[in-house]
Amino acid sequence: MTDRCYLDHAASTPPRPEAVAALRRRLDEPAANASAAHAAGQAVRTAVEEAREQVAEALNAHPGDIVFTSGGTEADNLAVKGLGWARIEDGARHLVVSAVEHPAVLDSARWLAAHEGLELTEVAPDPDGRVDPDRVLEAVRDDTALVSVMAANNVLGTVNDVAELGRRLRSRGVPLHTDAVQAFATQPVDVEAWQVDALSLSAHKFGGPQGVGVAYLRRGVPVVPVAHGGGQDRGVRSGTFAAALDAACGVAVERAVAERPGLGARLARLGDRLAAGLLQVDGVRRNGPADPGHRLPSHVHVAIDGVDGEALVFALDRAGLMVSAGSACHAGASERDHVLDAAGIEADAAVRLSLGWTTTEGDVDRALEVFTTVVERLRRDGAGGFLELEEVG
Ligand code: PLP
């Protein structure tokens, strides 16, 4: 296993040691329900509130705007459905999302359209996956409930101009949600500068544990709960606080922000070297924006001619390189990726290699060696040849 190489950090990146330590510490403390009035409960509650403050500070938000969730999917659902329902109560009849949103946003919006009779506009991106604020604004109507445009795309790594959208939507009085799940590890995220009303994060994308995320929901913007129960978090998110996960999330947020400038610069160097090496292989093209200012340093997405996509990812894995075909976050990844379709990207095969805080120069060397060998062998021998590929290197 030592020479296996993991370049799928956009799907999940390892938790940072500080976050793991915070998780363990909290689990070792006396257990109690954070909503209980007794001393043990209040100690657990203090841990949750400390984590909330850590997250709020990182986002330039008020702690009262932060709601802990089970991850990015729940945060997206809460924002889109919760804000959507509240706005329907005020007479809104229309939603605007980009066509390249994660299914947690896109399918929430489609569900609202199907079940609440809303009209839905899905704004197409440019060929690099960028969502043009002008096109979004053209779609907005007086009865638009909500706009949701992601800060950065999970498949192509394309970065959107959320601040421009926020400024223009605020003056129209239309709430803006942004999914910052992929952006947070390497991009500054500031809810005031962006003028967003709702924002989603997921801890396992920036060095926290799986199973915890954040919904920033600006106070004063009405939200209808998605799940009903004890109303623990601000009345919009019921369920016993997951104090250990929340504490680990708070610590991971702090570490991610402290290390972000260095990490961004390091991943840009590693990613450029990786991309340059991949492009040496015949019939390989890079997708997404060419300008590094418009893409995440962590994502390298390439199209490959003359090989079968599924066979390629399988063969790369057998040879020790773990990457993703499109986005690994939805089950059964074999169908065509909606992001590539929306951006009009045609390819025999496409893979996303994504880097994270544990990625080394050695990983890049290993990835290039495996990728080059596997693509050559698949082209020469077809899918049947990959059974020997475990021997690469
Ligand atoms: N939004 C984006 C952009 C993502 O990339 C993902 C997961 O990859 C999610 C939401 C869902 O996050 P989670 O896995 O925490 O539910």
Side-chain angles (χ1 to χ4, degrees), residues 290-317:
D291 176 357
H294 292 142
R295 66 172 144 76
L296 297 177
S298 43
H299 288 48
V300 177
H301 192 279
V302 288
I304 307 108
D305 295 331
V307 290
D308 175 73
E310 256 181 271
L312 176 62
V313 173
F314 184 61
L316 290 172
D317 182 37

Side-chain angles (χ1 to χ4, degrees), residues 12-331:
S12 201
T13 199
R16 292 168 187 272
E18 298 88 345
V20 175
L23 181 71
R24 291 217 170 100
R25 233 181 0 258
R26 182 75 340 253
L27 289 173
D28 285 342
E29 296 288 328
N33 190 313
S35 303
H38 50 63
Q42 288 312 293
V44 176
R45 183 59 179 251
T46 301
V48 173
E49 296 312 321
E50 275 173 16
R52 203 192 298 279
E53 278 167 27
Q54 286 167 315
V55 174
E57 192 177 331
L59 298 179
N60 193 21
H62 187 279
D65 296 330
I66 304 301
V67 172
F68 285 109
T69 66
S70 60
T73 299
E74 188 191 340
D76 283 342
N77 271 264
L78 187 55
V80 175
K81 291 184 194 149
L83 259 78
W85 276 322
R87 299 271 297 164
I88 289 169
E89 286 172 6
D90 289 342
R93 307 299 314 147
H94 176 235
L95 286 169
V96 181
V97 300
S98 90
V100 290
E101 293 303 305
H102 187 274
V105 168
L106 201 52
D107 290 350
S108 292
R110 287 176 180 168
W111 187 93
L112 273 184
H115 292 84
E116 302 291 354
L118 298 192
E119 267 185 72
L120 173 62
T121 306
E122 297 182 14
V123 177
D126 76 6
D128 292 331
R130 281 190 91 195
V131 183
D132 181 348
D134 285 340
R135 297 195 65 179
V136 174
L137 265 294
E138 278 160 23
V140 169
R141 315 190 313 210
D142 289 344
D143 64 348
T144 300
L146 170 77
V147 171
S148 182
V149 173
M150 66 207 317
N153 183 259
N154 45 309
V155 177
L156 296 170
T158 312
V159 172
N160 286 314
D161 193 346
V162 181
E164 166 79 3
L165 267 177
R167 186 180 59 75
R168 293 169 67 183
L169 286 169
R170 189 64 61 90
S171 65
R172 294 278 303 263
V174 176
L176 172 63
H177 164 250
T178 192
D179 176 334
V181 165
Q182 292 287 332
F184 188 78
T186 57
Q187 309 297 300
V189 174
D190 182 323
V191 295
E192 286 304 320
W194 287 3
Q195 300 195 42
V196 291
D197 301 286
L199 178 145
S200 311
L201 297 180
S202 173
H204 73 106
K205 309 291 188 178
F206 56 80
Q210 297 177 345
V212 57
V214 169
Y216 160 79
L217 299 167
R218 195 164 60 81
R219 283 154 310 142
V221 175
V223 178
V224 172
V226 172
H228 292 91
Q232 281 87 342
D233 215 347
R234 260 185 57 188
V236 293
R237 205 274 179 165
S238 288
T240 299
F241 287 102
L245 290 170
D246 298 349
C249 177
V251 169
V253 160
E254 260 192 1
R255 294 314 316 148
V257 171
E259 291 171 27
R260 196 188 267 148
L263 179 68
R266 195 164 68 77
L267 296 190
R269 271 197 314 279
L270 291 171
D272 285 350
R273 192 160 81 73
L274 176 66
L278 297 173
L279 295 175
Q280 294 293 307
V281 180
D282 273 353
V284 174
R285 302 180 300 282
R286 184 167 191 179
N287 297 317
D291 176 357
H294 292 142
R295 66 172 144 76
L296 297 177
S298 43
H299 288 48
V300 177
H301 192 279
V302 288
I304 307 108
D305 295 331
V307 290
D308 175 73
E310 256 181 271
L312 176 62
V313 173
F314 184 61
L316 290 172
D317 182 37
R318 284 191 71 104
L321 174 59
M322 289 169 275
V323 298
S324 160
S327 162
C329 294
H330 35 273

